[in-house]
Amino acid sequence: MHGSRKSLLLKEKFMAEIARDPAFHLADIYDLSKDEIRERTMEKFASLVHYVTSEPLDVFNYRMQLISTVDPGFWTRFGVHFGLFLGAIRSGASPAQFNYWIDKGVIGLNGVIGCFGMTELAHGSNVAGVETTATFDEQTDEFVIHTPHLGATKWWIGGAASTATHCAVFAQLIVKGKKCGVKTFIVQLRDVQTFQLKPGVNIGDIGKKMGRDGIDNGYIQFTYVRVPRAHMLMKHTQVSREGIVTDPPLAQLTYGALLSGRIAMVADSSNTAKKALTIALRYAAVRRQFAAGKNQPLMAQAIAIGFTSLILTKMYNELTEAMEVLEPGDPNLKEVLEKLKETHSTSAGLKSGRALVGNWADAQKGKPLAPGVAYMSDKANLTARSDGKLDLADIDRAWACVAANVVKKAASDFASHAAKGVNKAEAMEMCSQSRFIAAKLHTIGYMFRMFRQACNEQEEGPEKQVLTDICRLYGLWQIEEQGASFLKYGYFTGEQMDKVQSEVDALCLGLRKVVIPVVDAFAISDHIINSPLGRYDGDVYTAYFNHVRAANPPTKQHPYFDRLIKPLLERKPLEEEDVDAAMGFSEELAEMEKERKASKA
Amino acid sequence: MHGSRKSLLLKEKFMAEIARDPAFHLADIYDLSKDEIRERTMEKFASLVHYVTSEPLDVFNYRMQLISTVDPGFWTRFGVHFGLFLGAIRSGASPAQFNYWIDKGVIGLNGVIGCFGMTELAHGSNVAGVETTATFDEQTDEFVIHTPHLGATKWWIGGAASTATHCAVFAQLIVKGKKCGVKTFIVQLRDVQTFQLKPGVNIGDIGKKMGRDGIDNGYIQFTYVRVPRAHMLMKHTQVSREGIVTDPPLAQLTYGALLSGRIAMVADSSNTAKKALTIALRYAAVRRQFAAGKNQPLMAQAIAIGFTSLILTKMYNELTEAMEVLEPGDPNLKEVLEKLKETHSTSAGLKSGRALVGNWADAQKGKPLAPGVAYMSDKANLTARSDGKLDLADIDRAWACVAANVVKKAASDFASHAAKGVNKAEAMEMCSQSRFIAAKLHTIGYMFRMFRQACNEQEEGPEKQVLTDICRLYGLWQIEEQGASFLKYGYFTGEQMDKVQSEVDALCLGLRKVVIPVVDAFAISDHIINSPLGRYDGDVYTAYFNHVRAANPPTKQHPYFDRLIKPLLERKPLEEEDVDAAMGFSEELAEMEKERKASKA
C-alpha cells in the first residue's frame, strides 16, 4: 500500500521528524482561535522550507502527502505557494522568465511568497469568465491590472490576507482595445522589507473557512496597477513590444497548474480516509454498543483509492517529464497529448463524463483508446452475463459491462439531443444526468481494476489473500450500492444480486478479525492520528479522559453566573395582578358614567 | 406547508420578536469563541423563559421549532432542560413527585436548571448497560449514587459543565444487593445560591462540540452521593421504605423522555433543509457558473419531510393526551399501546427495521395493522406492475410493491437465521443489511404517501398543481435513487426506468421557474437565513462583500510579520561550505599519516 519498502521507511522517517517539531504540536489544534492557528501555520513554513530546497521533488511531494493528513490547512497554504504559484510559473513562464523568478528566490521563499489569483467574487472557477483586466500600454511597455467592478474582486485568495508578497493574477488580456483571452501576470502585492501594500493594491481578510482556518484567505482589488510587460507569463502566448499577440499552437498544454492539485487530491482522499478509518476501526474494536459496526467496505474503498493514487502519481510524473522536454514539432507530441488527456480525464473522476462521450465516439470509429477506457472497444462487454462465481474476474467483467452500457447511454442521449439542432454545449447539459451516472460507474470500475492489478502484483502469501478478499469486498459492495445498473443491463439476475448481498455480509464478517492488522499497515503514527480514540495501544478511555481534562482546565471564577444564572434562579414567579381591582378602575368608570348621566339630565 | 394560515401568522410573529432581540443577534455568530457563544446561549434563556411560562405547550413547541433553525446550540441546551429533564419528570414521576418539582420551579427555571445524565463514557446510548449505581440504604432511607470506575463517568452531559443545578441521573438500581434495572434519580449538582458543587459531585468541562459549541457539555462523577428515596422517579417502578421493589405492569410506557426529541428532529430536518435550500436556490438564481444546478429534488425532499412532520406531531400530541389520562386497567390501553408503537416506529425511520419484521409476522397472521404499515396486508402489492403512467397513483403502488417485498425479504432472512438455532437478537443482527434496506424503502414510501395526502387535501388551483409536480418529483427521484429494488422486484422494466429518469429531468426543468416562489413560501426571514447569499432581494455580492469587510476589520499591526515572515524573506540562501577545504582536513590527515610512518620507521 506504500508503493515500496523504501517509501514506507521514508514515511516513518518523516513521521519521526515532525513528531518532535514544536510547530507540529497537535494536541491543542482544535481549540486554537483563527488568529492562533494562522500564526501556527506560518511557524511551519520555517520548519519545512529546508526540505523543499534540499530534497528531490518526488521525495518532497511524498513528504507533503503526509503533511496533508497532519494539517490540511498548512498543506493548502504551502501548496498555494509551491503547487499553484510556482506551478503557474513552471507551466507558463518562458525559460528566461523562469530563471528570473528562480533567481529571485521563489523556491526557498527568499524574497517571494506567492499566492494564486484566479477566483473572483462573482465567478468562482469559471476561468474563461474572469473580469479582471490586463490592458497593454504600448507607450510605457506595461500592463495595467485593474478590477473593473465589485464582482471582479479576487476572492478566496489563500495567503493574500497577510502572508503573500506576490500573486499570479488571472486576467483578461486587452491589447489595442481587443480582448485576447485570460492570461497569467505576476503582480507584487507588498513591499518585501516593510510589508506595506503596493500602490493600487487593496487587500482585505475574508475570515474563517471551515477546516481551513489556518489559511489567511483574502480578497484583492487592483486599481490601475502597472507591471512590466515581462511580468506576463509568455511560454504559450506572447505579446511583443509593438503589441503583436502570438497564440500558442497547442492550447491544450496551457492549463497545467491545476492538474498537480487534482492528482494530489486522489492521494489525499485515500490518506485522510485511512486516518479516519484507523480511528473508527480501532475504537470499534474496543467499544461494543448495540451491534458490531460495518466499516470494512469503507476500508476497502480507502485502499482502492490508495492504489489508484499510486498509479496516477506515476502517470503524472511521466507526463511532466515528457512535457518538459517537448519542443515545437516534436514527433512525440501526439503521444504526450494522449497521455495528458488520459491523466486529465482519469484524475477528474466524476467530472469526466464529457471525455467519456468523446471516447465512445472514438471507439465507434475504431480509433485506439487509452488503457483506462479500452473496455469501450469490445462490443461483447455490452451483453456480458455473470458466470455466478463472483470472483475477481467475474466482478471485473461486471464493471466493464455496466460502464460500457452507461457510457453508451450517455453518448446516445447526447446524440439525440444534438440531432434536435441544439448546440454541443446545450446537448451536453441536457444529458448531464446520464453523463453523471456514466462518470460514476466508470470511475468505480477504474478503481476496482487498479485494486485488482495491485493484488495480482502482490507476492503469494497470507497478505495477498487478505488483499484479494478486500478487493472482492470493494467490487461487490459497490455492485450492491449501484445495483440498478447491473439489473437494468442484465449482468446479474435478481437472485444473483441477493447472492452479492450475502457475499458482502460474509466478507465483512470474515475480514473482522484482520481489520486491526490492516489499519496498522496504514502506518499512521499516534501523533498524526491525534485522537485518543484511535490509539495504537487501545487504552482509549483513560487517554480520552486525560486529554479532555488537560484541554479544559477549571476556571477560578464562573464567567457569567452573577450576570445571567443567578437572576434566573432567584427570579420571583410572575403573579398576575388584577389591575382593574387594584386601580378601582370599573368603579371609577361607573362613577364617571353616573356623573355624565347626571349632567345630561 | 405551515399546517394552517394561523400557524404561518404565528411563525411570522415569532420571527418579528426575535429579529429585534439583542440575544438573537446573528451576524457575528460564526466568529464567536466557544466561551462567548456559551455566554450568548445563556442570554437567550432569559428572553425565552417568559414564553414557556405563559404560552400553551403546542404554541411554545412551535416557537421552539423555529428557534432550532436560528440557533441549534441554544435549542439543544434549552431542550435539555425542557425536553429531557422536565420530560423525564413528566414521564417518570408519580403525581406527588411531579407536583413537588413543579412547585420547586422547574417550569420557570426558578431554582432548578436541569440536565440529563444518561450517556456514560464507555456506554453511549446503551441505556440498559449504564454502570452508575444507585444503592438503596435501608437504614437511612436514601439512595447512594456512585460512579464505580472511569468508564461509568457521565459523559457529554449538556448543561453540566457550568449551568445546571440538578440532573436526571440514569443509574442501576441496587436493592438488598440485587440489581433491579436502570431507573432515573434526581440529583442536585450545585448549591443554588453559591453555585458551588455539592459534596461528592465532581464535574469537568468537555469543551467544543462541532455545531453545538453553545452548549456547556460536561462530565459528572458521583462519589457516594446520597439522595432521599423520594428522588427516584416512581411512576412506574416503586421502592418501598422496606426495600420492596414493585415493577410496572407495562414496561413499554416507561421510555417517554426521548420520544419527543425524535418527533422534534423530523420537523428540524425539514426546517433546517428549507433554510439551506432557501440560500442555495436563491443564490443559484443569481449565479450562473458552468451549468444550471439541480437542487429541485432536495427541495421536494424537504417538503416531503415537512408534511410528514406535521402529521407525526399531530400523532404525538394525541398520544401524549391519551397517555396522560390512562389509568391501570383502562379499556383504551390496547389502542394507546398500538399508537405508541406506531409513533415510535414511524419516528425512528431507519431504526424501524425490527418493528417492520414484527409487522410482517402480524400481517401473515391476519392481524390488523396500523395505517402506516397497512400495505403489508395486501398480498397483491408483492407482484404489482406499473401501468406506465408514472402519475401519483402509479408511484404510490410502486412504493407499496417494493416496500412489501423488501420487508418480506428481511422477515424471511430473519426466519432462516432463527431456524438455524441462533437466538432472536443474533438472528436480527445477521439480517441487519436486509432490515436496513427495508427500513429505508419503507420510510421513503411513507413520506411519499404523507406528501400525496397533503396534495389531495389542497384546494384546487395553481398551487395544487405545483405541489403535485413536486410530489411526483420526490417519488420519481427516489425511485431513480433506489432503482435496484424496483427492477429486482419487477415493478418497473429497464425501459420504464429510463422513462423515470427523463421524467425527473423534465420535472426539474419545469419546476425551475417556480423554485423561487416555492422557497419564498418556506417563509424564513432574512434575519434567520443569516446569509448574504440567501437574501430575499437577491443583491448578494454587495451584501456579502460588506458583511465580510465588517466582520474582519483591518488590524493596526501585523501580528507576526517581524517574528515569522521577515526572517523567511530575508534569509540568505544556504551555501554549502567545503568543510574539508575550510578545515584543511585532508591535508591534516595526510600530515598525521606521514608522521606516523616516520615514527614507525
Side-chain angles (χ1 to χ4, degrees), chain A residues 228-244:
Chain A
R229 184 164 52 91
H231 278 208
M232 173 177 144
L233 299 178
M234 295 204 195
K235 182 177 185 176
H236 306 293
T237 297
Q238 290 93 34
V239 178
S240 74
R241 178 65 192 89
E242 297 77 26
I244 293 161

Side-chain angles (χ1 to χ4, degrees), chain A residues 128-135 170-174 179-183:
Chain A
V130 304
E131 296 184 282
T132 300
T133 53
T135 309
F170 282 54
Q172 292 283 355
L173 171 64
I174 297 174
K179 279 193 182 181
C180 307
V182 173
K183 312 294 165 201

Side-chain angles (χ1 to χ4, degrees), chain A residues 243-288:
Chain A
I244 293 161
V245 180
T246 314
D247 277 321
L250 285 164
Q252 297 102 311
L253 291 174
T254 54
Y255 292 116
L258 297 171
L259 188 58
S260 70
R262 263 196 206 154
I263 301 286
M265 270 183 231
V266 180
D268 196 46
S269 302
S270 173
N271 291 335
T272 303
K274 283 174 179 168
K275 180 178 174 183
L277 284 162
T278 301
I279 300 170
L281 287 161
R282 284 186 182 159
Y283 186 42
V286 173
R287 191 174 180 89
R288 280 281 168 266

Side-chain angles (χ1 to χ4, degrees), chain B residues 280-294:
Chain B
L281 288 161
R282 285 185 181 161
Y283 187 42
V286 173
R287 191 175 181 88
R288 279 281 168 267
Q289 189 134 318
F290 297 111
K294 213 177 93 173

Side-chain angles (χ1 to χ4, degrees), chain B residues 213-501:
Chain B
D213 284 351
I215 312 172
D216 52 309
N217 280 300
Y219 63 81
I220 314 176
Q221 293 169 328
F222 299 101
T223 311
Y224 306 110
V225 174
R226 290 178 167 266
V227 298
R229 184 165 51 94
H231 277 208
M232 174 178 145
L233 300 179
M234 294 205 194
K235 182 177 183 176
H236 306 292
T237 298
Q238 291 93 34
V239 179
S240 74
R241 178 67 192 89
E242 296 78 25
I244 293 161
V245 179
T246 314
D247 276 321
L250 286 165
Q252 298 103 311
L253 292 174
T254 56
Y255 291 115
L258 296 171
L259 188 57
S260 70
R262 263 197 205 153
I263 301 286
M265 269 182 230
V266 181
D268 196 45
S269 302
S270 172
N271 292 334
T272 304
K274 283 174 179 167
K275 180 178 173 181
L277 285 162
T278 301
I279 299 170
L281 288 161
R282 285 185 181 161
Y283 187 42
V286 173
R287 191 175 181 88
R288 279 281 168 267
Q289 189 134 318
F290 297 111
K294 213 177 93 173
N295 291 309
Q296 291 91 326
L298 296 177
M299 176 183 82
Q301 178 166 264
I303 295 172
I305 302 174
F307 285 125
T308 306
S309 158
L310 286 176
I311 290 163
L312 266 184
T313 305
K314 199 162 153 266
M315 232 159 111
Y316 174 73
N317 289 341
E318 287 169 6
L319 175 69
T320 312
E321 236 170 76
M323 279 172 72
E324 268 173 19
V325 297
L326 206 66
E327 303 270 324
D330 201 299
N332 291 321
L333 186 65
K334 212 184 141 215
E335 199 190 322
V336 173
L337 277 180
E338 277 305 311
K339 262 193 188 155
L340 179 67
K341 252 169 73 180
E342 197 192 358
T343 313
H344 231 289
S345 152
T346 308
S347 66
L350 295 186
K351 276 189 179 176
S352 65
R354 276 166 211 264
L356 295 174
V357 170
N359 293 142
W360 184 260
D362 288 348
Q364 301 320 299
K365 292 175 202 149
K367 288 191 190 173
L369 297 181
V373 290
Y375 64 85
M376 296 183 199
S377 300
D378 184 356
K379 284 235 158 57
N381 279 328
L382 288 167
T383 51
R385 295 294 173 263
S386 172
D387 57 14
K389 288 187 181 161
L390 303 185
D391 57 10
L392 293 186
D394 189 23
I395 298 168
D396 208 343
R397 281 193 306 274
W399 284 102
C401 167
V402 295
N405 274 293
V406 291
V407 171
K408 183 187 170 195
K409 178 166 186 340
S412 82
D413 281 5
F414 170 74
S416 72
H417 290 303
K420 284 175 205 148
V422 301
N423 67 36
K424 196 182 159 186
E426 273 178 85
M428 279 287 179
E429 177 58 26
M430 289 167 87
C431 67
S432 63
Q433 180 67 2
S434 297
R435 284 194 293 115
F436 175 73
I437 294 168
K440 186 161 65 174
L441 298 187
H442 164 78
T443 303
I444 298 169
Y446 185 87
M447 292 201 293
F448 171 77
R449 277 203 306 285
M450 296 301 106
F451 198 161
R452 192 187 174 201
Q453 185 183 318
C455 287
N456 289 340
E457 286 167 9
Q458 187 79 7
E459 280 171 40
E460 291 300 327
E463 286 90 348
K464 181 170 184 160
Q465 188 51 51
V466 168
L467 212 59
T468 304
D469 284 348
I470 298 173
C471 183
R472 276 187 72 216
L473 174 60
Y474 176 66
L476 290 172
W477 167 66
Q478 283 287 7
I479 288 169
E480 206 187 339
E481 292 285 304
Q482 310 297 333
S485 298
F486 293 87
L487 287 160
K488 191 173 159 197
Y489 297 111
Y491 189 85
F492 290 118
T493 63
E495 292 83 60
Q496 285 171 330
M497 286 302 290
D498 283 344
K499 210 182 145 202
V500 167
Q501 186 192 315

Side-chain angles (χ1 to χ4, degrees), chain A residues 110 162 488 498 558 571, chain B residues 43 110 162 488 498 558 571:
Chain A
N110 295 98
S162 41
K488 190 173 158 195
D498 282 345
H558 195 295
R571 206 169 84 264
Chain B
E43 285 170 12
N110 296 98
S162 41
K488 191 173 159 197
D498 283 344
H558 194 296
R571 207 169 84 262

